[in-house]
């Protein structure tokens, strides 16, 4: 009986041990499985979290905190904006004070007394010209001068003789007529030389020394600077035949000439002050005033000419320099100002800025699209005439990124 009853107990113990082993194996598999799942979890955590940036409502986008740092969020400013009109033009000679100095008569240049860059005074001789007609006129003067002296002496003797009735009255009248004719011819010869531009001293020298081969002096009509010289000794020159042998210009004042759209015609008035800048002197401003507003509009370009007189006492400007000029049309007025990078012009033509919303959003920063009207631009700042008030917090940079983000999500 004892031997028979011990066998089931042994089998029971073995079965219990097998169950324990099975449980342990299951536990080990669970542990291994859970460890494997835990090992895979960090790989999922390495992926970027889902983005919360984009369009969240009509006219509203949300950006992450890191993105918001690139927007330079800050208040809209305030500054004085002048009513300023801008245009591009060129510096030019003042044509009212620039003279191409031609000779009055054809001839060959004998001497050139100036060079380009020389400052000259009014009345100063620039060059001389050998003019054949002057030689002829000088010869006529010498001849008529001698004839006049002889006729005058003959008349003097005739006057003495006619008083004693030593000669006929008819002979005396002939002597008187000859003297008057000689005097008229002499005066005409002198006048001819004066028309050639010779001075009284030059004429007296010709008459005294019988100097037939003379040079015609060509003198500067104004004070200024020689800005061009084509004259060379021996060169044949003709009156009015370009280029002029010498060109003189008064450079104390230059012109700024621009071609502007006809739509701006009402803005330009003679006498308005002008500020001019050139690329050669970016830090300097040259002052001037509008002196002429075009009387006609070009039919093909629909533009008209505007001209300003620009003072240049230091002679640092040069003709044909590219110039940017600003015309102040009215006194400056205070207005809302934002950086140019804060304004986005959309394809529809609407100008917008992005205004930060005040409510808290745990997923980022919300900004609202705001349509605005623009005024003038000055030194990188844009005037907002409506749609925004000073102090409102806006994206002052990368506003275009916000518009692109909004349009992308809108699609």
């Amino acid at each position: 009986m004892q031997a028979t009853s011990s066998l089931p107990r042994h089998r029971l113990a073995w079965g219990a041990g097998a169950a324990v082993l099975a449980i342990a194996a299951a536990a080990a598999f669970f542990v291994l499985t859970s460890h494997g799942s835990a090992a895979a979890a960090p790989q999922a955590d390495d992926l970027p979290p889902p983005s919360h940036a984009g369009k969240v409502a009509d006219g509203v986008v949300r950006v992450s905190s890191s993105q918001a740092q690139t927007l330079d969020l800050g208040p809209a400013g305030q500054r004085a904006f002048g009513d300023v009109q801008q245009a591009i033009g060129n510096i030019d000679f003042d044509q009212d004070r620039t003279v191409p100095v031609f000779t009055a008569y054809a001839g060959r240049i004998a001497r050139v007394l100036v060079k380009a860059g020389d400052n000259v005074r009014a009345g100063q001789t620039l060059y001389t010209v050998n003019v054949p007609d002057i030689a002829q006129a000088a010869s006529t003067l010498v001849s008529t001068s001698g004839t006049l002296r002889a006729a005058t002496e003959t008349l003097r003797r005739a006057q003495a003789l006619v008083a004693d009735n030593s000669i006929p009255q008819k002979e005396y009248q002939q002597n008187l007529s000859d003297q008057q004719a000689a005097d008229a011819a002499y005066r005409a010869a002198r006048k001819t030389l004066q028309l050639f531009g010779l001075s009284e001293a030059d004429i007296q020298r010709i008459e005294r020394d019988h100097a037939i081969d003379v040079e015609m002096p060509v003198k500067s009509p104004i004070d200024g600077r020689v800005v061009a010289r084509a004259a060379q000794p021996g060169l044949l020159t003709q009156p009015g035949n370009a280029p002029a042998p010498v060109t003189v210009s008064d450079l104390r004042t230059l012109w700024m000439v621009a071609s502007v759209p006809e739509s701006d015609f009402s803005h330009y008035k003679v006498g308005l002050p002008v500020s001019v800048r050139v690329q050669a002197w970016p830090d300097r401003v040259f002052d001037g005033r509008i002196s002429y507003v075009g009387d006609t509009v070009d039919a093909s370009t629909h533009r008209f000419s505007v001209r300003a007189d620009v003072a240049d006492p230091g002679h640092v400007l040069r003709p044909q320099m590219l110039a940017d000029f600003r015309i102040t049309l009215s006194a400056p007025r205070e207005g809302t100002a934002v950086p140019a990078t804060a304004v986005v012009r959309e394809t529809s033509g609407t100008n917008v800025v992005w205004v930060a919303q005040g409510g808290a959003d745990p997923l980022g920063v919300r900004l609202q699209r705001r349509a605005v009207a623009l005024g003038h631009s000055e030194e990188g700042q844009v005037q907002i005439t409506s749609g925004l008030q000073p102090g409102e917090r806006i994206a002052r940079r990368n506003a275009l990124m916000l518009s692109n983000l909004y349009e992308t999500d809108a699609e």
Side-chain angles (χ1 to χ4, degrees), residues 187-345:
R187 292 177 182 276
R190 288 179 62 88
K191 187 64 175 178
T192 299
L193 290 175
Q194 290 173 355
L195 293 176
F196 275 109
L198 272 66
S199 66
E200 182 64 26
D202 292 332
I203 294 174
Q204 290 178 0
R205 181 178 60 83
I206 293 172
E207 187 176 352
R208 182 184 67 248
D209 300 337
H210 296 180
I212 304 301
D213 186 16
V214 296
E215 300 173 5
M216 175 185 175
V218 182
K219 301 178 180 181
S220 174
I222 62 170
D223 293 344
R225 175 171 293 193
V226 177
V227 296
R229 195 197 89 166
Q232 295 295 339
L235 182 67
L236 180 64
T237 180
Q238 298 279 349
N241 190 15
V246 175
T247 301
V248 178
S249 181
D250 183 351
L251 299 180
R252 291 172 298 179
T253 301
L254 295 174
W255 280 356
M256 202 291 308
V257 183
S259 179
V260 298
E262 66 174 79
S263 57
D264 296 337
F265 183 82
S266 61
H267 297 152
Y268 295 92
K269 306 293 182 184
V270 172
L272 287 177
V274 176
S275 299
V276 179
R277 294 179 183 268
V278 296
Q279 294 178 355
W281 308 97
D283 298 329
R284 296 186 61 176
V285 177
F286 300 88
D287 296 325
R289 288 190 178 275
I290 292 180
S291 59
Y292 174 75
V293 177
D295 294 312
T296 61
V297 175
D298 189 289
S300 58
T301 63
H302 292 279
R303 304 177 79 88
F304 65 98
S305 295
V306 174
R307 189 174 70 217
D309 294 339
V310 181
D312 183 26
H315 186 51
V316 296
L317 298 176
R318 295 294 184 272
Q320 303 313 313
M321 278 184 171
L322 191 66
D324 172 24
F325 75 97
R326 298 156 56 91
I327 301 174
T328 302
L329 304 178
S330 64
R333 295 181 179 179
E334 290 288 330
T336 305
V338 301
T341 52
V343 181
V344 179
R345 184 174 179 83

Side-chain angles (χ1 to χ4, degrees), residues 45 47 55 79 103 137 175 195 221 224 241 249-250 290 294 351 359 379:
D45 292 342
L47 296 175
K55 178 180 178 181
R79 63 171 293 168
T103 176
N175 290 335
L195 293 176
N241 190 15
S249 181
D250 183 351
I290 292 180
N351 295 297
E379 298 177 351

